[in-house]
Amino acid sequence: MKLFDEFKEFAVKGSVIDLAVGVIIGAAFGKIVSSLVEDVVMPPIGYVIKGIDFSSLAYTLGEGPDAAQIKYGQFINNLIHFLIVAFVIFIVVKQFNKLKKKPQELPPSTKKCIYCKEPINIDATRCKFCTGEQSAGAAA
């Protein structure tokens, strides 16, 4: 029974649940990005480059049916696809970040003493460190 209790404690920890939710949302987001790239971005690119396909490019090592091939053309296709997906993700994340609420900047609650430069309360008339008298507009 101890093993079950340990597993239950592990499974209900907040970080495990957060990770599971992140993986599920990440998988769904991946499908959205893949669809965006394949269905929206790639057709115009394919039209512009007139269907150039590097996948048939290969370097053959040896001769005969046992010859090995280095398929660098497929690598080039995958690299181009990766760069397009990475760029689309960059643009999407950048747009999501614009939608986030920016934290409101609070007015400063401290100022520097005009004599010893130690931080003191903005409303203080004397410095608690050097006891120097502060003027009203001495916020720095």
Side-chain angles (χ1 to χ4, degrees):
M1 209 52 167
K2 184 178 177 185
L3 182 65
F4 178 74
D5 291 337
E6 288 178 18
F7 177 75
K8 185 172 115 180
E9 182 182 336
F10 168 77
V12 296
K13 282 185 179 177
S15 58
V16 173
I17 303 297
D18 293 343
L19 178 63
V21 169
V23 167
I24 292 167
I25 290 176
F29 185 70
K31 288 181 182 180
I32 291 170
V33 170
S34 293
S35 176
L36 178 65
V37 169
E38 294 295 328
D39 302 330
V40 177
V41 175
M42 288 306 285
I45 290 174
Y47 178 75
V48 169
I49 64 173
K50 304 287 185 222
I52 295 174
D53 185 18
F54 297 106
S55 63
S56 62
L57 298 176
Y59 181 75
T60 304
L61 300 173
E63 294 179 14
D66 294 336
Q69 283 191 331
I70 298 174
K71 297 179 181 181
Y72 64 91
Q74 187 61 43
F75 174 75
I76 292 171
N77 275 350
N78 290 337
L79 182 64
I80 292 169
H81 187 264
F82 168 77
L83 291 174
I84 292 169
V85 169
F87 182 73
V88 168
I89 289 174
F90 169 75
I91 297 299
V92 168
V93 169
K94 190 172 181 166
Q95 295 306 314
F96 273 121
N97 285 340
K98 282 184 180 179
L99 295 175
K100 281 185 184 177
K101 271 190 170 180
K102 293 187 173 106
Q104 282 186 324
E105 289 190 29
L106 298 174
S109 60
T110 61
K111 62 182 178 183
K112 287 186 179 180
C113 171
I114 58 175
Y115 301 108
C116 68
K117 306 297 184 207
E118 290 292 329
I120 58 174
N121 188 299
I122 195 95
D123 297 325
T125 55
R126 287 196 175 271
C127 175
K128 67 180 179 182
F129 299 101
C130 71
T131 68
E133 195 169 332
Q134 306 297 304
S135 60

